[in-house]
């Protein structure tokens, strides 16, 4: 049955340090736990180079000494193992009230995968799921990772899509703890592709999958 799309505030075309984005997400999530009637939010951004580990992630998947390195590393409350963010990788942070969608975390993960698969289809690429592994794959190589945190059915964290990043940063880790499969970026299939063009397709596919009306927003002041 069709229904009027829920509103979703869209913050787009942002480059932001990881910890600033993390604090912003937490603030958005906390306010929506207290006031569940607030609009959903989608943040699309890129990060300066940073490594993040899920709350239960193992350091055995990091190939450098965390205590003596020069890289930015953070352990945060999402699920999943270690991953890498950098410019050229498009990161999406949905702050959704799943009570308005479906109160099912497996459904939510599959919907995020569906968004990414639809984005790839725009470029005539066949994104795939691999049973028991979260994320999206192209020809057996991982191009999109997903890690979430949900509190009172309000989501935070989200997904990352390798569009045109410097892939060298992934060589210092075992991405997502998966040692027998490689990571890849869209530029290997579509030379010259940029995050600027993919942002619009990603926002549109996200709105389609979650049946949302996106409302463009300007960047707030982040203290």
């Amino acid at each position: 049955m069709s229904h009027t799309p829920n509103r979703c505030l869209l913050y787009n075309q942002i480059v932001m340090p990881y910890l600033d984005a993390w604090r912003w997400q937490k603030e958005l999530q906390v306010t929506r736990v207290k006031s569940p009637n607030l609009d959903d939010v989608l943040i699309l951004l890129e990060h300066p180079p940073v490594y993040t580990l899920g709350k239960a992630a193992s350091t055995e998947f990091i190939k450098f000494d965390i205590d003596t390195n020069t890289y930015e590393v953070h352990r945060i409350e999402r699920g999943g193992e270690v991953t890498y963010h950098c410019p050229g990788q498009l990161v999406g942070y949905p702050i959704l009230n799943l009570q308005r969608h479906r109160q099912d975390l497996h459904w939510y993960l599959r919907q995020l995968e569906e968004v990414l698969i639809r984005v790839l289809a725009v470029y005539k690429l066949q994104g795939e799921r691999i049973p028991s592994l979260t994320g999206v794959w192209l020809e057996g190589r991982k191009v999109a990772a997903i890690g979430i945190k949900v509190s009172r059915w309000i989501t935070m964290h989200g997904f990352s899509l390798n569009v045109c990043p410097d892939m060298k940063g992934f060589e210092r880790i075992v991405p997502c703890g998966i040692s027998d499969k490689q990571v890849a970026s869209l530029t290997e299939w579509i030379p010259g592709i940029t995050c600027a063009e993919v942002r619009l397709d990603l926002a549109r596919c996200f709105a389609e999958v979650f049946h949302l009306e996106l409302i463009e927003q300007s960047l707030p002041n982040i203290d």
Side-chain angles (χ1 to χ4, degrees):
M1 181 181 297
S2 63
H3 59 87
T4 302
N6 292 315
R7 284 165 45 99
C8 180
L9 309 181
L10 173 64
Y11 294 92
N12 207 346
Q13 300 181 358
I14 303 165
V15 177
M16 183 179 288
Y18 186 82
L19 287 182
D20 289 347
W22 175 74
R23 284 189 286 263
W24 184 19
Q25 287 183 76
K26 283 186 70 70
E27 178 184 334
L28 291 170
Q29 185 189 51
V30 167
T31 57
R32 280 153 179 77
V33 166
K34 294 178 180 177
S35 303
N37 59 319
L38 292 174
D39 291 329
D40 288 339
V41 175
L42 174 62
I43 304 169
L44 293 179
L45 47 67
E46 296 169 63
H47 288 307
V50 60
Y51 293 94
T52 71
L53 297 90
K55 60 184 178 180
S58 172
T59 56
E60 70 179 270
F61 298 122
I62 298 178
K63 300 178 182 179
F64 56 85
D65 189 327
I66 293 182
D67 299 320
T68 61
N69 77 93
T70 59
Y71 312 119
E72 185 177 352
V73 182
H74 302 292
R75 184 181 290 274
I76 38 96
E77 67 275 65
R78 66 164 170 79
E81 294 290 342
V82 62
T83 194
Y84 177 64
H85 302 302
C86 67
Q89 180 194 76
L90 191 53
V91 179
Y93 294 131
I95 316 297
L96 303 185
N97 183 347
L98 293 183
Q99 295 178 83
R100 286 199 287 261
H101 298 275
R102 186 182 297 182
Q103 293 172 240
D104 182 331
L105 298 188
H106 292 289
W107 172 87
Y108 178 54
L109 291 171
R110 301 295 82 76
Q111 295 301 98
L112 292 179
E113 290 171 345
E114 179 63 23
V115 170
L116 295 158
I117 288 170
R118 291 192 187 193
V119 171
L120 297 182
V122 171
Y123 299 94
K124 296 181 171 54
L125 297 174
Q126 181 63 55
E128 299 173 338
R129 295 178 174 93
I130 293 181
S132 79
L133 296 176
T134 300
V136 175
W137 313 73
L138 270 176
E139 298 178 10
R141 301 169 69 195
K142 193 169 190 177
V143 294
I146 296 173
I148 65 170
K149 165 68 175 178
V150 179
S151 178
R152 304 284 182 89
W153 297 109
I154 308 296
T155 69
M156 66 177 286
H157 298 296
F159 57 85
S160 59
L161 175 63
N162 294 334
V163 179
C164 54
D166 180 350
M167 299 296 288
K168 291 180 181 177
F170 287 99
E171 297 174 2
R172 305 185 188 104
I173 61 173
V174 178
C176 303
I178 303 172
S179 59
D180 62 342
K181 290 179 170 44
Q182 295 182 322
V183 292
S185 68
L186 300 191
T187 191
E188 297 175 46
W189 286 267
I190 309 172
I193 194 170
T194 66
C195 285
E197 56 191 298
V198 177
R199 282 175 183 273
L200 299 176
D201 295 315
L202 204 160
R204 178 177 53 78
C205 292
F206 187 87
E208 288 175 359
V209 169
F210 287 99
H211 196 53
L212 293 167
E213 177 191 1
L214 296 180
I215 312 295
E216 291 264 6
Q217 303 290 301
S218 56
L219 178 62
N221 292 323
I222 305 296
D223 296 326

